[in-house]
Amino acid sequence: LATALSSAALAQDISGKVVGFSQIGSESGWRAAETSVTRQEAEARGVDLKFADAQQKQENQIKAIRGFIAQGVDAILVAPVVATGWDEVLTEAKEAEIPVVLLDRGVDAPEDLYLTSVASDQVEEGRVAGQWLVDTVGAEDCKVVELQGTVGSTPAINRKQGFEEAIAGHDNITIARSQTGDFTRSKGKEVMEGFIKAENGGADICAVYAHNDDMAVGAIQAIKDAGLKPGTDILVVSIDAVPDIFTAIAAGEANATVELTPNMAGPAFDVLAAYWADGTEPEKFIITESKLYTSADDPAGEYERRKDLGY
Ligand code: GYE
């Protein structure tokens, strides 16, 4: 694993540092992968990671962050479940001079309350998914149903916006229904069942756009249960690129996904190392890549590659 570390990180020994990590929960396969990669990245650097699972609740995250401040940790990583409501606790961390790094989701708070944010461009992810649909359906009429992520989270807000931007001006493509599936497989399935009932047993649905792969996997099950073929009768496009969606793509049951790296902690530890060494201020936003994968991109190989990465 040492070879995976950047030269900056190798140059700075941060072993012995204590870092608190307030994780959202385990709503998705991607989230579980992020947790395991964060643990690996900490271990490789000799960082003592204090892990707190908030079980999807902001109040639990706020409590965990206050606990980390009381313990006097060297830094705090937080994946903020929703965008608003962070000013007070982030101010407390700042007053305690503990740097905070946001992972994978954003906050509506003054930028001086955190050292940096490591995340994807979630509007771009939505655009990439939407552009794939535009290119795929051409001039055909296409009624889309949308499974949104957690209400009030930046990925739900931004992935919706990006997709809408991509289909704007293509009047043959319309979003017929849009509801939250909370980024989980079970809610994705449940909400999709409702969409299918409301849309002529699914016959009127051309595509499902899910804000993450787990909801897409749930939707695929609902489509099958309704006697339709996912990937053919109803196109499936989503975001994350977790192993299970590659299984579905390989089987022809899903069509496209946009990759989100689970390694947000690696860049976070690198900037913290430089910050601790000599106060180097990192870029405020460290943006990870958003690459499209379809059946043309060796889905079986991508599945294996991710299993090797610690998903
Ligand atoms: O796409 C989803 C998850 O915050 C960007 O959260 C992340 C999202 C990810 O549960 O699967």
Side-chain angles (χ1 to χ4, degrees), residues 26-32 56 147-150 180-193 210-225 238-248 303 307 311:
S26 50
E27 73 282 0
S28 67
W30 184 87
R31 181 72 50 202
Q56 309 296 323
L147 293 167
Q148 294 185 38
T150 299
T180 183
D182 214 11
F183 280 131
T184 69
R185 212 171 270 218
S186 59
K187 289 227 181 96
K189 176 166 180 275
E190 193 186 305
V191 174
M192 189 66 188
E193 285 165 357
H211 290 187
N212 80 345
D213 290 344
D214 279 71
M215 293 189 293
V217 169
I220 287 168
Q221 194 54 53
I223 294 167
K224 285 188 186 171
D225 291 350
S238 53
I239 295 162
D240 276 355
V242 296
D244 285 352
I245 206 71
F246 285 110
T247 303
Y303 173 91
K307 283 292 179 189
Y311 277 87

Side-chain angles (χ1 to χ4, degrees), residues 59-77:
E59 60 189 90
N60 290 345
Q61 292 204 282
I62 292 171
K63 258 186 228 153
I65 294 167
R66 292 209 165 115
F68 294 143
I69 296 170
Q71 282 173 58
V73 297
D74 296 303
I76 294 170
L77 308 179

Side-chain angles (χ1 to χ4, degrees), residues 19 21 28-29 48 63 72 84 91-92 101 129 155 185 206 219 246 260 284 290 307 310:
V19 176
F21 177 24
S28 67
D48 179 5
K63 258 186 228 153
T84 56
T91 302
E92 289 166 26
V101 177
R185 212 171 270 218
C206 149
F246 285 110
L260 176 69
K284 203 82 232 182
S290 305
K307 283 292 179 189

Side-chain angles (χ1 to χ4, degrees), residues 6-293:
S6 76
S7 53
L10 287 173
Q12 303 295 341
D13 182 5
I14 61 168
S15 60
K17 292 284 188 188
V18 179
V19 176
F21 177 24
S22 171
Q23 177 61 298
I24 291 171
S26 50
E27 73 282 0
S28 67
W30 184 87
R31 181 72 50 202
E34 185 192 48
T35 294
S36 86
V37 171
T38 303
R39 289 187 195 278
Q40 289 172 41
E41 291 288 324
E43 203 184 314
R45 290 168 171 83
V47 166
D48 179 5
L49 192 75
K50 307 279 183 205
F51 181 80
D53 178 338
Q55 312 208 308
Q56 309 296 323
K57 294 203 176 77
Q58 183 178 36
E59 60 189 90
N60 290 345
Q61 292 204 282
I62 292 171
K63 258 186 228 153
I65 294 167
R66 292 209 165 115
F68 294 143
I69 296 170
Q71 282 173 58
V73 297
D74 296 303
I76 294 170
L77 308 179
V78 54
V81 60
V82 291
T84 56
W86 296 101
D87 292 41
E88 203 177 312
V89 74
L90 292 181
T91 302
E92 289 166 26
K94 192 181 165 127
E95 280 165 0
E97 293 177 15
I98 299 172
V100 172
V101 177
L102 305 179
L103 298 189
D104 77 79
R105 295 187 186 179
V107 295
D108 284 338
E111 288 180 9
D112 67 314
L113 294 184
Y114 50 92
L115 181 67
T116 184
S117 151
V118 185
S120 56
D121 179 341
Q122 295 155 351
V123 176
E124 176 64 10
E125 290 167 336
R127 266 190 226 116
V128 170
Q131 189 58 48
W132 173 83
L133 190 68
V134 165
D135 296 341
T136 302
V137 301
E140 248 174 73
D141 282 339
C142 184
K143 239 183 177 186
V144 181
V145 295
E146 179 181 31
L147 293 167
Q148 294 185 38
T150 299
V151 175
S153 70
T154 58
I157 297 162
N158 296 334
R159 288 171 179 173
K160 182 170 201 358
Q161 183 196 322
F163 188 87
E164 285 171 354
E165 279 176 28
I167 66 167
H170 300 274
D171 295 343
N172 57 315
I173 304 176
T174 51
I175 300 175
R177 291 174 193 276
S178 182
Q179 214 175 298
T180 183
D182 214 11
F183 280 131
T184 69
R185 212 171 270 218
S186 59
K187 289 227 181 96
K189 176 166 180 275
E190 193 186 305
V191 174
M192 189 66 188
E193 285 165 357
F195 287 162
I196 289 169
K197 278 206 194 91
E199 295 290 342
N200 192 19
D204 291 347
I205 302 173
C206 149
V208 54
Y209 165 46
H211 290 187
N212 80 345
D213 290 344
D214 279 71
M215 293 189 293
V217 169
I220 287 168
Q221 194 54 53
I223 294 167
K224 285 188 186 171
D225 291 350
L228 295 169
K229 284 202 177 107
T232 317
D233 294 331
I234 299 179
L235 300 173
V236 180
V237 55
S238 53
I239 295 162
D240 276 355
V242 296
D244 285 352
I245 206 71
F246 285 110
T247 303
I249 292 175
E253 295 181 343
N255 305 89
T257 187
V258 183
E259 183 172 43
L260 176 69
T261 177
N263 191 2
M264 307 275 163
F269 288 134
D270 288 354
V271 298
L272 282 168
Y275 179 76
W276 285 323
D278 58 9
T280 302
E281 287 281 342
E283 300 276 321
K284 203 82 232 182
F285 297 95
I286 298 171
I287 313 282
T288 63
E289 254 188 280
S290 305
K291 184 173 173 311
L292 181 77
Y293 286 84

